Amino acid sequence: MSGHAATGDEQAHPDRPRVLVARLDSFGDVLVAGPAVRAVAAGASHVTLLCGPQGAPAGRLLPGVDTVRTWAAPWVTETARPIDDAVVDEFRTLVAEERPDEAVVLTSFHQSPLPLALLLRLAGVPRVSGASVDHPGSLLDVRLRPGEDLPEDLPEPERALRIALAAGFTLPADDAGRLAVRRDVDPPDSVAGLGRYVVVHPGASVPARAWPAERHRELVSAYAAAGIPVVVTGSPGERDLTALVAGDAGIDLGGATSPAELAAVLAGAEVVVVGNTGPAHLAAAVGVPIVSLFSPVVPAVKWAPYAPLVELLGDQDAPCRLSRARECPVPGHPCLARVSVQDVLDAHRRLLDRASRITGRVPAP
């Protein structure tokens, strides 16, 4: 474990620990861990961010990260691989290469840090911190108790920060704790020369969180009729959806942007219209106003975009509330289907008005 050359930070701060920060699930989950990662970075000589395959691209955008390591945890739904001696050996090798003095395990309220804490112990990590409802025995050195010393209704970035703070890491005084990403890539040429434009991101990780595709298409047409260019974004797996939504009125970038390029596209938008999905948190991280089409299957207080300029649309008291459903359990998907194109346009106007009060600029017509 001692074969690695010391980094500049390690040489400058030999008293600071090497820290492994773990967030093993999705793209958006990793983005909301950003403030906690920066807090750890402020007190560490080296930060390794351990992500699952879905979250690693987001990890590479986060300030404060020295190394991103990707590891597919068998207990994460999207991974679904057996746990055996080979998996344990693989994890031990990863930890031996990264040489952490301690680990901070970041989880949401419905997740346990204990499976990973067990593997970290087996790999010889001497100090492990996390939030656990279940008694951790010797698996955690620092434990927060959700519902007791860790409030249940915290936004996810604040929850992660509480875990980092319990481990002994605080944000610098000049860091407000907002989401942030590295900004060193330009948008595609098709967007760079637009000036004013709106981004519409129609995809969602599960159907229960999606505004109807036809409604998105109507929105794009309404913007186009008002003379406002629209950029439609999506992942490579959403190309059919973005093509449908963009039609002849929008610029279809479905599957055409890297995460860093998507951040640049979002950053230039007047407003981003997006559901509860990873790019909503990316929009928050670049500071753009957001119309959030939010299904209440998970609580908005935890998962709404963590940003000052957000208009939340969707019936947050619908019968599907807090169900964590992947497919809508209510006929007609009323929580989002009742949101009209005009509702979105009105929310857009409210965001411009709020932004103008902050900046002193007159909103565009």
Side-chain angles (χ1 to χ4, degrees), residues 216-227 230 245-246 249-250:
H216 278 104
R217 183 182 173 94
E218 293 166 9
L219 177 65
V220 171
S221 296
Y223 276 126
V230 184
V245 169

Side-chain angles (χ1 to χ4, degrees), residues 109-110 206-210 276 294-300 302-303 315-331 333-336:
F109 71 99
H110 61 286
V206 297
R209 301 184 187 185
N276 179 19
F294 199 96
S295 165
V297 292
V298 296
K302 299 172 188 280
W303 286 108
D315 181 1
Q316 300 306 301
D317 295 315
C320 63
R321 182 175 181 268
L322 307 185
S323 66
R324 300 194 62 80
R326 298 176 70 85
E327 299 282 345
C328 181
V330 182
H333 196 24
C335 69
L336 287 181

Side-chain angles (χ1 to χ4, degrees), residues 218-241:
E218 293 166 9
L219 177 65
V220 171
S221 296
Y223 276 126
I228 303 174
V230 184
V231 178
V232 181
T233 58
S235 69
E238 294 169 337
R239 285 193 177 103
D240 289 345
L241 173 63

Side-chain angles (χ1 to χ4, degrees), residues 72-337:
W75 55 90
V76 176
T77 303
E78 290 77 8
T79 302
R81 63 172 177 160
I83 187 162
D84 52 24
D85 288 342
V87 167
V88 176
D89 290 344
E90 173 186 294
F91 188 80
R92 280 178 158 153
T93 297
L94 184 156
V95 171
E97 291 170 352
E98 294 304 316
R99 304 176 292 119
D101 300 300
E102 61 180 284
V104 178
V105 182
L106 302 178
T107 50
S108 296
F109 71 99
H110 61 286
Q111 299 166 331
S112 172
L114 299 187
L116 185 61
L118 174 60
L119 290 182
L120 289 164
R121 286 292 193 228
L122 290 173
V125 178
R127 186 173 189 260
V128 183
S129 302
S132 179
V133 172
D134 297 317
H135 179 64
S138 62
L139 297 182
L140 295 178
D141 299 284
V142 177
R143 174 201 180 192
L144 285 176
R145 298 166 179 80
E148 298 180 38
D149 47 13
L150 183 63
E152 293 282 11
D153 288 332
L154 285 175
E156 284 291 310
E158 295 180 20
R159 174 189 171 88
L161 264 176
R162 293 285 188 98
I163 297 172
L165 178 61
F169 300 101
T170 58
L171 282 170
D174 61 352
D175 190 326
R178 290 292 177 188
L179 303 192
V181 291
R182 304 176 193 270
R183 301 272 298 278
D184 52 7
V185 172
D186 294 326
D189 292 341
S190 59
V191 174
L194 285 179
R196 183 189 187 193
Y197 64 91
V198 170
V199 168
V200 172
H201 187 92
S205 58
V206 297
R209 301 184 187 185
W211 199 40
E214 284 299 331
R215 201 68 53 82
H216 278 104
R217 183 182 173 94
E218 293 166 9
L219 177 65
V220 171
S221 296
Y223 276 126
I228 303 174
V230 184
V231 178
V232 181
T233 58
S235 69
E238 294 169 337
R239 285 193 177 103
D240 289 345
L241 173 63
T242 61
L244 171 67
V245 169
D248 295 328
I251 298 170
D252 180 10
L253 289 185
T257 58
S258 68
E261 289 170 332
L262 178 58
V265 171
L266 296 173
E270 178 174 291
V271 165
V272 173
V273 182
V274 60
N276 179 19
T277 187
H281 304 297
L282 191 56
V286 298
V288 67
I290 302 166
V291 177
S292 174
L293 297 162
F294 199 96
S295 165
V297 292
V298 296
V301 68
K302 299 172 188 280
W303 286 108
Y306 192 66
L309 288 173
V310 176
E311 283 283 331
L312 194 74
L313 300 183
D315 181 1
Q316 300 306 301
D317 295 315
C320 63
R321 182 175 181 268
L322 307 185
S323 66
R324 300 194 62 80
R326 298 176 70 85
E327 299 282 345
C328 181
V330 182
H333 196 24
C335 69
L336 287 181

